[in-house]
């Protein structure tokens, strides 16, 4: 299985009562025929102190949901609550919520320190307080040496840090981050991922983070909300979402998955090739879709009891592992991930008749 | 050397010749004008030795002083008012999503660039004549109003260009960081817009300073501007004094346009 480093035992304490609550939010752009429903009845409750990620493909409404929480848009219908208070109609400058913009949106006419102090200045804090807090934030993002520079003279990673410091300086109740890492190259991106995680843990501020990168979501988040077409499909911890996707979209979007059509009756699934697989946990009836991760698909000899008959069609070598593509009796393609062993044994030849099996616990029965 | 395969205008036969002729046509008369402003004699065609004489004459000419001051005052008023209006127009046409009728507004703002100046001049003459009769007011207001109107597009274009190059997320960021709409404008939009505003103001100033046609039609008696004064003088007698005045005007314009260029140039 692909390694999914999972930070556990958070320094920041996640409490049960929600910091942000979105209730039945609908956001429609345009009128009549050209209307686009960017959010279609979204409800989500984000806990205080948690690192919450909105994950989904381009155009699914992630930015729109974030802008609704920041106050740049008002919902067509529905409610936004912050610490239990209705803020649906509050303008952005009255919300104790700050944003890290995808383009950073640093003020080019101000120095790094002035950028970081901007929010405090607008809040009317004293010069001394602003200077002290700015120094503190500069230290937090390790940019003390750059404080008097203009932002155009900074590298992408440094600009990113300034944007973070600027948004954190006024001690917001919630920090919103819209794909803040997408403009960085891979190495810097990895660095900033752990940097972000560290900042969140140290400050204890609720983070709502938007990304379309599933690996980023899995490694950084306490919980993930998977979105598609203006709706939240599933909310859960990374492990839960990966191991128990509730629908086909989530299973497909997070990691790689094999889908099998089966017939369920009395807790037993009948798979292609008339193989019966008991799934005692499921009460579904009739035709269902089963999801099985490639790392759980085992290739066994054809005559093994309970194995599905299959033919090897081809395999793809990836270094640490290889993907063997197999064809089942009904034509369904199934991928099995095989770890490369010490001997570097070759994958089975194309055309070989084999058996395919997987533990019942690795099978997810999907809702649709 | 490899043959060039793209169209290269500089390799057309006669290109250099035409270029040289064009530059001579453009700059030779100006060069002559400046040279003869230093003529010791009183001809604009026969060189009689170097002298500052005509600059001194122009400086001591009370009438020249009066029309120059009037022109500067007029240009400053028209530039200030038109820049303020153009800034608002530019904000209204760029800081929100495209709306219906945007092109129509754009055309309306730039109308003075497209309608022949003489048409505007005649129209203003007729309108102001009626107003003068009705109100009895004969002051500089008419000139200021007319100059403001035709200066607006010159102020508008550089401001708009500046705004279009400005990330709208900056204003969102200001609002996100607790700036009220006015504070966001005051602390983010305006400072970033300043070079555009200064450039627009300078262009408007030069355009007003240079205007003949509209001034000629709109001015009341005794309201000569520097250009209309020069025109009137030329009809009577030509002396290098005119050259001297024109050279100073040229210098002023060059200074302003250089500043404009420096302001609008990308710094990084
Ligand atoms: N101002 C707007 N006017 C009209 N349609 C809009 C507007 N903003 C967003 N949309 C539409 O709403 C839908 C959701 O957009 P949104 O920007 O929230 O997606 P996203 O999930 O952030 O995508 P990406 O990953 O590409 O940033 C899209 O279909 C988009 O075209
Ligand atoms: Mg987006």
């Amino acid at each position: 299985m692909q390694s999914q480093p999972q930070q556990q035992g958070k320094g920041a304490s996640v409490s049960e009562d929600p910091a942000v609550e979105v209730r039945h939010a609908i956001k429609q752009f345009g009128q009549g025929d050209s209307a686009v429903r960017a959010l279609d009845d979204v409800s989500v409750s984000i806990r205080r102190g948690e690192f919450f990620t909105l994950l989904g493909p381009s155009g699914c409404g992630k930015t729109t949901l974030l802008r609704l929480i920041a106050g740049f848009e008002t919902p067509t219908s529905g409610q936004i609550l912050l610490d239990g208070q209705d803020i649906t109609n509050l303008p952005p400058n009255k919300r104790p919520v700050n944003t890290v913009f995808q383009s950073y949106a640093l003020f080019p006419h101000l120095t790094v320190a002035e950028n970081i102090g901007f929010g405090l200045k607008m809040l009317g804090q004293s010069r001394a307080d602003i200077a002290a807090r700015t120094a503190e934030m500069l230290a937090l993002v390790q940019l003390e040496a750059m404080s008097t520079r203009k932002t155009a003279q900074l590298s992408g990673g440094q600009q990113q840090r300034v944007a973070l410091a600027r948004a954190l300086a006024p001690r917001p109740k919630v920090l919103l981050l819209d794909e803040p890492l997408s403009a960085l190259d891979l190495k810097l991106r990895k660095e900033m991922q752990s940097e972000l995680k560290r900042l969140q843990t140290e400050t204890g501020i609720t983070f709502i983070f938007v990304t379309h990168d599933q690996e980023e979501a899995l490694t950084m988040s306490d919980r993930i909300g998977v979105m598609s077409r203006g709706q939240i499909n599933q909310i859960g911890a990374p492990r839960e979402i990966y191991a128990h996707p509730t629908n086909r979209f989530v299973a497909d979007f997070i990691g790689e998955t094999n889908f099998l059509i089966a017939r369920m009756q009395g807790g037993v699934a009948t798979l292609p090739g008339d193989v019966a697989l008991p799934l005692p946990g499921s009460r579904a009836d009739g035709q269902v879709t089963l999801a099985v991760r490639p790392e759980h698909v085992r290739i066994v000899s054809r005559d093994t009891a309970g194995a599905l008959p299959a033919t090897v069609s081809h395999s793809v070598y990836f270094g640490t592992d290889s993907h063997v593509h197999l064809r089942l009796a009904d034509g369904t393609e199934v991928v099995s991930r095989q770890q490369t062993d010490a001997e570097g044994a070759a994958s089975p030849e194309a055309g070989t008749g084999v058996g395919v099996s997987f533990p019942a616990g690795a099978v997810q029965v999907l809702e649709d | 050397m490899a043959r060039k395969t793209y169209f290269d205008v500089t390799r057309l036969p006669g290109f250099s010749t035409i270029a040289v002729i064009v530059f001579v046509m453009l700059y030779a008369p100006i060069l002559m004008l400046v040279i003869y402003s230093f003529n010791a004699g009183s001809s604009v065609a026969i060189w009689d030795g170097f002298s500052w004489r005509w600059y001194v004459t122009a400086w001591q000419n009370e009438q020249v002083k009066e029309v120059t001051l009037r022109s500067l005052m007029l240009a400053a008023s028209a530039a200030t008012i038109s820049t303020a209006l153009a800034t608002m127009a530019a904000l209204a046409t760029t800081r929100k999503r495209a709306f219906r009728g945007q092109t129509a507004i754009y055309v309306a703002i730039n109308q003075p660039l497209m309608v022949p100046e003489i048409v505007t001049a005649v129209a203003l003459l007729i309108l102001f004549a009626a107003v003068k009769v009705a109100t009895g007011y004969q002051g500089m207001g008419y000139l200021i109003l007319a100059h403001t109107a035709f200066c607006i597009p010159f102020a508008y274009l550089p401001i708009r260009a500046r705004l279009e190059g400005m990330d709208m997320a900056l204003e969102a960021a200001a609002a996100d960081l607790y700036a009220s709409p006015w504070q966001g404008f005051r602390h983010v939009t305006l400072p970033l817009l300043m070079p555009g505003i200064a450039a627009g103001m300078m262009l408007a100033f030069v355009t007003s300073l240079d205007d003949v046609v509209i001034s000629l039609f709109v001015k009341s008696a005794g309201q000569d501007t520097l250009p209309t004064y020069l025109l009137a003088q030329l009809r009577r007698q030509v002396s290098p004094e005119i050259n001297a005045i024109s050279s100073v005007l040229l210098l002023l314009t060059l200074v302003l346009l250089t500043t404009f260029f420096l302001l609008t140039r990308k710094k990084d």
Side-chain angles (χ1 to χ4, degrees):
Chain A
M1 174 173 167
Q2 201 178 331
S3 71
Q4 307 287 2
Q6 251 281 272
Q7 277 97 345
Q8 251 146 12
K10 307 287 181 313
S13 58
V14 177
S15 80
E16 279 302 318
D17 64 333
V20 175
E21 236 188 305
V22 179
R23 289 188 188 156
H24 303 290
I26 292 178
K27 179 65 191 178
Q28 191 161 310
F29 290 109
Q31 297 290 321
D33 286 346
S34 61
V36 180
R37 207 164 246 219
L39 292 179
D40 191 2
D41 195 8
V42 167
S43 293
V44 58
S45 163
I46 292 148
R47 296 169 190 154
R48 186 165 306 137
E50 90 174 323
F51 195 120
F52 189 91
T53 299
L54 288 168
L55 173 67
S58 186
C60 69
K62 307 180 295 287
T63 298
T64 306
L65 182 52
L66 220 56
R67 288 174 63 83
L68 235 53
I69 298 172
F72 300 128
E73 308 275 3
T74 43
T76 309
S77 70
Q79 266 187 315
I80 318 277
L81 285 84
L82 182 73
D83 281 347
Q85 303 246 336
D86 190 338
I87 57 162
T88 316
N89 295 310
L90 229 50
N93 56 315
K94 301 258 169 69
R95 298 187 186 199
V97 168
N98 289 142
T99 307
V100 176
F101 292 85
Q102 184 167 0
S103 61
Y104 310 148
L106 298 178
F107 304 127
H109 60 300
L110 301 180
T111 64
V112 168
E114 287 167 340
N115 262 280
I116 296 175
F118 189 88
L120 302 169
K121 188 174 161 192
M122 293 302 120
L123 286 171
Q125 298 203 357
S126 75
R127 255 166 217 277
D129 288 352
I130 296 175
R133 180 68 177 159
T134 302
E136 194 185 324
M137 296 319 295
L138 281 166
L140 187 69
V141 295
Q142 292 148 15
L143 282 177
E144 293 101 324
M146 311 276 168
S147 69
T148 56
R149 288 217 202 162
K150 286 280 166 69
T151 57
Q153 302 163 327
L154 301 180
S155 72
Q158 290 166 339
Q159 292 187 11
Q160 170 75 78
R161 284 164 205 268
V162 177
L164 266 167
R166 184 181 72 173
L168 286 170
R171 302 178 217 268
K173 289 193 171 151
V174 177
L175 188 73
L176 308 174
L177 306 101
D178 192 356
E179 307 205 28
L181 308 181
S182 62
L184 305 178
D185 64 42
L186 190 67
K187 188 165 167 293
L188 204 53
R189 204 179 163 125
K190 296 277 174 210
E191 264 175 51
M192 283 308 295
Q193 283 179 6
S194 43
E195 180 86 6
L196 268 181
K197 193 68 203 171
R198 175 181 72 84
L199 285 174
Q200 197 262 333
T201 315
E202 276 179 24
T203 57
I205 291 173
T206 312
F207 274 35
I208 306 181
F209 180 86
V210 161
T211 182
H212 57 247
D213 181 336
Q214 46 128 341
E215 196 182 311
E216 200 164 278
L218 289 171
T219 54
M220 297 174 74
S221 323
D222 293 323
R223 285 194 308 153
I224 300 173
V226 185
M227 290 187 72
S228 107
R229 298 159 176 243
Q231 292 183 318
I232 296 191
N233 282 231
Q234 189 175 357
I235 298 174
R239 270 167 203 279
E240 193 181 323
I241 290 209
Y242 186 84
H244 306 291
T246 53
N247 70 17
R248 190 172 177 128
F249 174 82
V250 176
D252 204 22
F253 193 72
I254 316 270
E256 284 154 80
T257 308
N258 295 302
F259 293 109
L260 301 170
I261 305 296
R263 199 147 262 302
M264 283 291 289
Q265 203 175 28
V268 178
T270 310
L271 294 164
D274 279 334
V275 178
L277 181 72
L279 294 171
S282 175
R283 261 171 280 121
D285 211 38
Q287 184 166 309
V288 293
T289 303
L290 305 181
V292 189
R293 299 285 181 195
E295 58 268 26
H296 296 138
V297 176
R298 285 194 300 257
I299 301 176
V300 294
S301 70
R302 179 144 244 185
D303 45 15
T304 310
L308 280 67
T311 319
V312 177
S313 55
H314 65 278
S315 44
V316 184
Y317 178 68
F318 284 99
T320 55
D321 50 22
S322 52
H323 287 185
V324 181
H325 292 247
L326 306 135
R327 197 167 293 286
L328 299 187
D330 68 343
T332 312
E333 177 155 311
V334 170
V335 178
S336 164
R337 181 181 293 159
Q338 306 276 313
Q339 204 112 50
T340 309
D341 54 24
E343 285 79 40
S347 305
E349 294 270 329
T352 321
V354 293
V356 160
S357 82
F358 29 79
V363 177
Q364 273 297 300
V365 182
L366 302 180
E367 285 164 3
D368 48 9
Chain B
M1 214 178 101
R3 263 188 77 227
K4 293 207 171 136
T5 50
Y6 56 88
F7 176 72
D8 183 355
V9 73
T10 62
R11 298 183 141 237
L12 288 182
F15 176 82
S16 318
T17 321
I18 294 172
V20 168
I21 292 174
V22 168
F23 279 111
V24 168
M25 293 281 291
L26 274 176
Y27 292 105
I30 296 179
L31 193 67
M32 293 307 288
L33 174 115
V34 175
I35 289 174
Y36 277 92
S37 71
F38 295 107
N39 196 1
S42 41
S43 161
V44 292
I46 306 155
W47 184 249
D48 226 3
F50 179 88
S51 150
W52 287 100
R53 175 184 164 194
W54 296 108
Y55 285 89
V56 177
T57 310
W59 181 251
Q60 287 167 347
N61 186 334
E62 284 305 319
Q63 232 181 332
V64 170
K65 253 184 231 170
E66 185 198 318
V67 296
T68 306
L69 278 180
R70 184 175 297 117
S71 263
L72 291 176
M73 190 280 280
L74 175 59
S77 319
T80 309
I81 304 171
S82 63
T83 305
L85 295 174
T87 305
M88 288 190 252
L91 284 168
T93 49
T94 53
R95 292 285 98 173
K96 43 171 83 180
R97 294 189 190 113
F99 54 92
R100 267 162 142 247
Q102 199 171 17
T103 316
I105 288 178
Y106 187 71
V107 170
I109 291 171
N110 290 307
Q111 167 270 343
L113 294 180
M114 290 170 263
V115 174
E117 205 182 347
I118 187 73
V119 174
T120 314
V122 171
L124 285 174
L125 173 74
I126 295 169
L127 174 72
F128 287 161
V131 177
K132 278 176 195 172
V133 169
T135 62
Y137 173 65
Q138 299 277 338
M140 284 292 287
Y142 302 107
L143 272 174
I144 293 177
L145 210 61
H147 276 230
T148 299
F150 74 75
C151 282
I152 284 177
F154 294 93
Y156 173 78
L157 291 174
I159 298 173
R160 181 190 155 100
R162 180 91 194 165
L163 271 173
E164 276 178 343
M166 212 168 110
D167 189 357
M168 278 175 90
L170 291 174
E171 280 132 324
D176 189 63
L177 292 161
Y178 313 106
S180 65
W182 167 249
Q183 284 177 312
F185 178 73
R186 161 85 185 65
H187 292 287
V188 174
T189 318
L190 195 59
L192 287 171
L193 202 51
M194 230 32 230
I197 291 178
M201 194 150 174
M202 234 156 268
L203 266 193
F205 188 86
V206 170
T207 310
S208 162
L209 201 60
D210 177 52
D211 180 76
V212 179
V213 179
I214 288 181
S215 302
L216 212 51
F217 278 68
V218 170
K219 75 182 174 69
S220 306
Q223 287 184 348
D224 261 317
T225 63
L226 189 56
T228 62
Y229 169 78
L230 288 180
L231 194 63
Q233 289 303 300
L234 283 172
R235 289 213 197 93
R236 296 208 261 122
Q237 60 39 273
V238 185
S239 84
E241 186 184 356
I242 305 244
N243 294 40
I245 298 168
S246 304
S247 299
V248 172
L249 196 56
L250 177 69
L251 184 69
L252 177 66
T253 310
L254 280 180
V255 168
L256 287 176
L257 288 182
T258 309
T259 317
F260 166 79
F261 173 76
L262 291 176
L263 282 174
T264 46
R265 194 179 49 166
K266 279 253 182 305
K267 282 203 202 77
D268 32 21

